[in-house]
Amino acid sequence: MAPIDSDDNTTAAGEGEETRAGRRKAARYVVPVAVMGVAAATIGLVPALADSGDPDLPKITAEQLLQKIAASDVEQLSGTVRISTDLGLPDLGGLESGLLSGMSGGPGAGGDEDGSAADPSAKLTGLVSGTHTLRVAADGPDRQKLSLLENAAEYSLIHDGKDVWGYDSASNEVFHSTAPDTAGQREKEMPVTPKDFADQALKAVDDTTSVTVDGTAQVAGRDAYRLVIKPKQSGSTVGAVTVAVDAGTGMPLKFTLTPASGGAAVVDAGFTQVDFAKPDASTFDFTPPKGAKVTEGDEAAGAPEREHRAGGGLAEGADGLKVIGEGWNAIATFDTGGQGGLPTAAAGGGLGGFLGSFGDQVKGDFGTGTVFKTRLVNALITDDGQVYAGAVTKDALVEAADAAK
């Protein structure tokens, strides 16, 4: 991994190789609190948690704090996480969450009668907007539980060995599947905890990134260091990522992503309570309640209509998915193989109306197209079916499209 800026340039001799190895480990190390088997097409995002003072902790450099994260071996915990998202999407009465669920392509994502209200690929996509409270518990890599607290109801996702159970108390429905057995599959899971989000941010740490330590904080009653990650490049929509790292365990307790445009955080996820003691074994027990409708994930995923839908959306028939640019200014581009650009409300149904409600018409050497925006990710869909998307500004997308011609 390339060098990074630090708030302290003093480094022990011979530390270079060990530091690089530590960074690589920090980027891929995942505390097993996200339940296995969750795959979603978006990120779930938490409201700012009030810090109660700046604890007096020993000085530490950015390099040392990255090493501390890499060395963290927390596998047992229980606690409460609050999570909130402000992507700046238009208020469509919840339609945006439903559309994103449908685009995930998972069983039940389309909301049809064959789906399951307990399917995690659809259920947890709701974290893309609003404020949510979750209870989490973990006991090693094979036992985790996440409970999403809702109004007069609760959704639970339990991973116990090879079994993954989703239970929606409001509908009394159960979704059962098997846990992914490869690291590649697990890395595709939707981030839920501060550690999950921090892992994603650490993957972006390279020579396009500044990393510093900015004082201390107290989160969930625990002393923490504040690690700040910022893009060096102009053109990114990311202003800064701040990670509160537990001074004792090295585990991220809070994650905050602020946009370059200013204002409230786009993502703010943090523990309000955390305990690193071993959870009771019964925490991970689950038996479908009497009378509950049980859907087997393998059977649902194999249905012909679901296989068709899983490949749907703008990426259906995508030709040559590529990434252009580097670092924080990287842009994903692909050809949908179709003409007409952004679907209209009449032709595209809810999706067309949703995208069109916050789209800007643009033109350049590439031709014409529509840029649809959030406070973090923007995408340009040209009228000849080319898509450019990334955490970059509208101007950066147009420049990328012009350069491709």
Side-chain angles (χ1 to χ4, degrees), residues 65-317:
L65 192 51
L66 287 173
Q67 290 289 339
K68 192 174 186 70
I69 296 172
S72 180
D73 59 357
V74 173
E75 290 196 343
Q76 297 174 334
L77 63 79
S78 58
T80 303
V81 173
R82 293 192 65 206
I83 187 166
S84 173
T85 310
D86 185 3
L87 284 171
L89 298 176
D91 183 5
L92 298 179
L95 175 60
E96 63 273 25
S97 293
L99 288 168
L100 288 167
S101 295
M103 286 189 289
S104 72
D112 59 31
E113 62 183 7
D114 295 324
S116 170
D119 173 27
S121 65
K123 191 70 177 180
L124 294 185
T125 311
L127 297 178
V128 74
S129 63
T131 299
H132 307 274
T133 300
L134 304 96
R135 288 199 298 260
V136 298
D139 183 11
D142 296 325
R143 305 182 86 188
Q144 299 96 33
K145 181 177 181 179
L146 178 152
S147 295
L148 172 61
L149 308 183
E150 302 173 312
N151 293 332
E154 180 174 317
Y155 175 76
S156 294
L157 195 55
I158 305 101
H159 170 215
D160 187 9
K162 294 183 178 181
D163 291 312
V164 175
W165 296 95
Y167 176 61
D168 179 50
S169 67
S171 62
N172 196 30
E173 292 193 24
V174 175
F175 187 87
H176 176 249
S177 63
T178 56
D181 55 6
T182 67
Q185 286 176 292
R186 287 192 284 269
E187 287 179 357
K188 294 179 182 178
E189 294 164 10
M190 192 174 85
V192 173
T193 69
K195 176 59 177 162
D196 299 335
F197 287 110
D199 285 335
Q200 298 298 317
L202 287 171
K203 292 177 182 178
V205 174
D206 58 15
D207 58 0
T208 68
T209 308
S210 168
V211 181
T212 60
V213 177
D214 183 23
T216 63
Q218 196 168 76
V219 178
R222 296 186 64 88
D223 295 345
Y225 292 101
R226 288 165 44 90
L227 184 71
V228 179
I229 303 169
K230 293 182 178 180
K232 291 181 183 178
Q233 302 161 301
S234 61
S236 174
T237 56
V238 177
V241 171
T242 302
V243 182
V245 182
D246 185 63
T249 67
M251 193 188 86
L253 298 175
K254 183 180 178 183
F255 173 95
T256 305
L257 189 157
T258 54
S261 59
V266 173
V267 184
D268 192 17
F271 283 97
T272 59
Q273 182 275 328
V274 65
D275 184 349
F276 294 110
K278 179 183 175 71
D280 189 276
S282 62
T283 302
F284 310 100
D285 292 342
F286 180 78
T287 300
K290 184 177 181 180
K293 174 187 174 183
V294 179
T295 300
E296 291 293 335
D298 294 340
E299 295 175 4
E305 66 273 15
R306 298 197 185 286
E307 290 178 354
H308 175 75
R309 185 171 62 237
L314 292 174
E316 184 174 13

Side-chain angles (χ1 to χ4, degrees), residues 326-349:
E326 63 175 0
W328 298 84
N329 287 357
I331 296 172
T333 179
F334 61 89
D335 188 349
T336 63
Q339 299 287 327
L342 190 70
T344 64

Side-chain angles (χ1 to χ4, degrees), residues 345-360:
L351 177 59
F354 174 61
L355 297 179
S357 68
F358 61 112
D360 289 342

